[in-house]
Amino acid sequence: MVQEEIRKGPWTEQEDLQLVFYVKMFGDRRWDFLAKVSGLKRSGKSCRLRWVNYLNPGLKRGRMTPQEERLVLQLHSKYGNRWSKIAGKLPGRTDNEIKNYWRTHMRKQAQDQKKNNKAFISPSSSFSNCSSSSANSLTVDSMPIGTEQNETNFYNNDGLELLKQVAGENKIYEGEQNMMIYSMDEIWKEVESSEEIETRNNVPVMASTNTWDYCPDSLWMTDHYYFDNNQDFSFFTG
DNA sequence: AACTAATACAACCGCATTCGA
DNA sequence: GTCGAATGCGGTTGTATTAGT
């Protein structure tokens, strides 16, 4: 049996467009199926990763804000390397992004400590210790996230205008704007309250990881509703 | 201007867990 | 209850970009 060649490496714009189109058509589930019907020579796993970490319209782009950095420090000291859990508390950020951020800064931290000829205790403890001092210097807790000055724009390529059209981008932007009013205070509140519930019930609380939670009007949510409630697409899956 | 180091980001891999037949 | 497929997660690696010399 001849195995169809699976593409690896960086995604092209064309592949992105295709994936977005098919995710919009069929929802962000059944990745193997999506990979097949889309004609992409990618594994379902690869498609999912690309969507989750890059194409998902609810993602925030650009550098972490100081508030987010502080929250990551705090959450890491609590949860350790459970990146998806931490990401669940940071709307628009992915576990991959946070993981990368942490890794980079841990390395820097280790190097600094080496330089200062200090004993290296442990990643989480050393980092969380430093977090308190840096956190104290911050005074803009109530600044809404997503309002960072970084001008990095996900859709800054000409070709992606098409993507906008295909994916109904206007709606998505509305969603992003809604997301922006989710202030750090609110996030902190959520962290605290979910932990309370966790402690009380001794049951893990699923954070609202889905970006749609903050984008009630987004087209994507509409699509999900549509697919989930109005249509039976099982015939597609054979 | 050229080179190097540091940083940020994207992607892959392997394993664990969940789901459905 | 079992098993295979799908999905999710964390670790790791590769590459592009930026900053420093």
Side-chain angles (χ1 to χ4, degrees):
Chain A
M1 181 173 153
V2 181
Q3 185 81 10
E4 198 178 351
E5 198 186 336
I6 298 288
R7 250 182 68 79
K8 286 184 182 180
W11 282 63
T12 65
E13 194 172 291
Q14 179 60 38
E15 287 178 310
D16 283 348
L17 290 170
Q18 261 177 274
L19 183 58
V20 168
F21 177 80
Y22 281 92
V23 169
K24 183 171 149 49
M25 285 271 289
F26 299 111
D28 60 346
R29 280 282 182 270
R30 308 215 49 159
W31 292 104
D32 281 345
F33 166 70
L34 270 174
K36 264 183 200 152
V37 297
S38 65
L40 291 164
K41 292 184 171 74
R42 297 276 184 173
S43 67
K45 208 170 180 175
S46 179
C47 291
R48 176 189 164 270
L49 206 65
R50 182 63 176 171
W51 175 258
V52 167
N53 287 328
Y54 193 79
L55 295 172
N56 186 331
L59 293 179
K60 285 173 67 180
R61 314 301 300 179
R63 302 282 295 274
M64 294 251 192
T65 65
Q67 294 77 36
E68 286 175 310
E69 290 177 3
R70 184 182 149 196
L71 189 53
V72 169
L73 292 170
Q74 180 81 8
L75 291 169
H76 188 272
S77 68
K78 194 163 192 67
Y79 298 127
N81 291 2
R82 295 168 71 185
W83 306 114
S84 60
K85 183 141 192 158
I86 295 171
K89 308 289 184 189
L90 286 146
R93 299 293 185 189
T94 68
D95 54 351
N96 208 30
E97 202 174 1
I98 294 167
K99 191 165 60 182
N100 282 333
Y101 165 79
W102 184 261
R103 200 178 145 75
T104 300
H105 286 77
M106 276 313 303
R107 204 159 43 194
K108 190 167 185 292
Q109 177 79 4
Q111 282 168 355
D112 288 350
Q113 288 206 341
K114 222 177 189 179
K115 268 185 198 165
N116 294 336
N117 211 15
K118 283 179 183 171
F120 185 73
I121 306 159
S122 80
S124 60
S125 60
S126 62
F127 216 98
S128 57
N129 286 344
C130 82
S131 75
S132 56
S133 57
S134 62
N136 289 340
S137 65
L138 297 167
T139 56
V140 282
D141 276 1
S142 57
M143 177 181 157
I145 62 167
T147 55
E148 68 267 28
Q149 293 76 24
N150 193 319
E151 291 298 326
T152 308
N153 189 334
F154 175 33
Y155 298 113
N156 57 355
N157 295 328
D158 293 339
L160 290 175
E161 277 304 312
L162 176 59
L163 188 153
K164 285 185 191 178
Q165 289 161 20
V166 170
E169 192 52 43
N170 292 339
K171 282 279 186 182
I172 294 165
Y173 273 117
E174 271 178 36
E176 284 186 32
Q177 278 158 15
N178 287 341
M179 193 173 74
M180 285 175 186
I181 58 172
Y182 202 85
S183 73
M184 287 308 296
D185 286 342
E186 286 169 304
I187 294 168
W188 279 106
K189 266 182 218 161
E190 199 206 329
V191 171
E192 279 163 15
S193 65
S194 69
E195 277 158 8
E196 259 176 45
I197 296 163
E198 250 174 295
T199 321
R200 214 182 302 137
N201 299 340
N202 199 25
V203 169
V205 176
M206 286 303 291
S208 36
T209 49
N210 287 341
T211 324
W212 344 111
D213 291 356
Y214 309 99
C215 315
D217 297 324
S218 83
L219 179 63
W220 298 94
M221 188 167 179
T222 310
D223 278 347
H224 278 269
Y225 180 83
Y226 186 80
F227 285 127
D228 290 348
N229 297 283
N230 296 337
Q231 288 285 342
D232 176 16
F233 281 92
S234 57
F235 64 89
F236 276 111
T237 63

